[in-house]
Amino acid sequence: DTGVSQDPRHKITKRGQNVTFRCDPISEHNRLYWYRQTLGQGPEFLTYFQNEAQLEKSRLLSDRFSAERPKGSFSTLEIQRTEQGDSAMYLCASSYIMNTEAFFGQGTRLTVV
Amino acid sequence: QKEVEQNSGPLSVPEGAIASLNCTYSDRGSQSFFWYRQYSGKSPELIMSIYSNGDKEDGRFTAQLNKASQYVSLLIRDSQPSDSATYLCAVNIPLTTGANSKLTFGKGITLSVRP
């Protein structure tokens, strides 16, 4: 399968713990997006990369969130000191270039207890 | 004003009817527009993309774009129960910093097709 892959699919963590998610984009895609989605809402933009450069980060994103894309391939999203409000589906998408179609991975569902 | 708005919904139509889903966007500089389908508990799936004014048809789906009115719509003909899902409108909104854009979503419209 050559689609966008996310790992893990589900994560349950205790409040205050750190978590890290991984996204492997479609191989020839140089744009990679992270979104967060809660029940009844559309995906909320978090950040995106073009190759290894992080070009935009949502103002809503607290300092507890950080993302990297070393070497312009896979990306990681880390949440430090998780809070119950961080419980959501975290979605990764990739696209070839700006303004072209973006494809999503299966998502990582985070539950903070 | 939200960047991408989908205000109507939920929508319920009988099997075989035409479902019409609407979306407006705020930035006239937007260049590309997409419709995604999302089943409950799953990730969004791209079903249509449109880049120029007018209609674009793909099977039972037709996307319509009117840049002057900042309006994009999705028509689903001969609706089937399997079309029951949330439909997300997404627009590449230009950023003020450089020549980049951000793929921005509306909140979605839930469609239910009654057998």
Side-chain angles (χ1 to χ4, degrees):
Chain A
D1 184 83
T2 57
V4 180
S5 179
Q6 291 188 246
D7 184 70
R9 296 289 302 277
H10 303 274
K11 178 71 177 178
I12 299 174
T13 191
K14 292 184 178 179
R15 189 174 51 189
Q17 297 294 304
N18 299 343
V19 294
T20 300
F21 309 141
R22 176 177 171 127
C23 172
D24 286 90
I26 294 171
S27 59
E28 64 267 26
H29 285 184
N30 55 19
R31 277 213 160 192
L32 186 149
Y33 302 85
W34 284 101
Y35 290 87
R36 176 173 63 190
Q37 188 176 28
T38 54
L39 196 63
Q41 301 298 315
E44 175 191 17
F45 173 82
L46 295 179
T47 188
Y48 85 86
F49 294 84
Q50 182 148 313
N51 300 312
E52 65 275 11
Q54 188 173 19
L55 296 186
E56 181 77 2
K57 186 175 177 179
S58 171
R59 288 170 293 176
L60 302 175
L61 211 59
S62 77
D63 292 341
R64 297 184 297 107
F65 288 72
S66 63
E68 293 183 340
R69 193 184 181 195
K71 302 178 184 178
S73 55
F74 71 92
S75 176
T76 58
L77 177 68
E78 181 182 18
I79 309 174
Q80 296 180 328
R81 305 181 303 281
T82 52
E83 302 172 356
Q84 285 189 321
D86 296 331
S87 295
M89 174 80 88
Y90 289 82
L91 295 162
C92 175
S94 71
S95 69
Y96 182 48
I97 55 174
M98 184 174 68
N99 286 327
T100 59
E101 298 169 340
F103 298 90
F104 281 87
Q106 315 96 311
T108 294
R109 183 168 296 283
L110 173 67
T111 302
V112 181
V113 297
Chain B
Q1 182 186 6
K2 290 185 178 179
E3 293 176 307
V4 181
E5 293 205 64
Q6 296 180 259
N7 287 328
S8 59
L11 179 65
S12 179
V13 300
E15 185 173 355
I18 296 174
S20 177
L21 310 171
N22 304 318
C23 172
T24 58
Y25 59 95
S26 60
D27 196 314
R28 287 190 174 275
S30 301
Q31 297 294 320
S32 53
F33 309 85
F34 308 94
W35 284 97
Y36 288 81
R37 177 175 61 199
Q38 188 173 30
Y39 293 113
S40 180
K42 303 295 185 183
S43 63
E45 173 194 9
L46 179 69
I47 54 172
M48 289 289 286
S49 59
I50 187 165
Y51 301 92
S52 55
N53 280 328
D55 295 358
K56 178 181 178 183
E57 186 174 320
D58 183 0
R60 296 185 296 110
F61 298 98
T62 299
Q64 299 175 317
L65 175 61
N66 184 327
K67 290 185 177 180
S69 300
Q70 295 173 240
Y71 177 94
V72 57
S73 66
L74 179 70
L75 300 177
I76 306 174
R77 290 182 301 280
D78 187 24
S79 296
Q80 301 296 310
S82 59
D83 295 327
S84 297
T86 296
Y87 289 81
L88 297 161
C89 173
V91 179
N92 262 309
I93 303 288
L95 297 173
T96 55
T97 55
N100 289 304
S101 63
K102 179 178 73 174
L103 187 61
T104 303
F105 286 80
K107 68 177 183 179
I109 300 171
T110 298
L111 171 66
S112 176
V113 181
R114 307 186 302 271

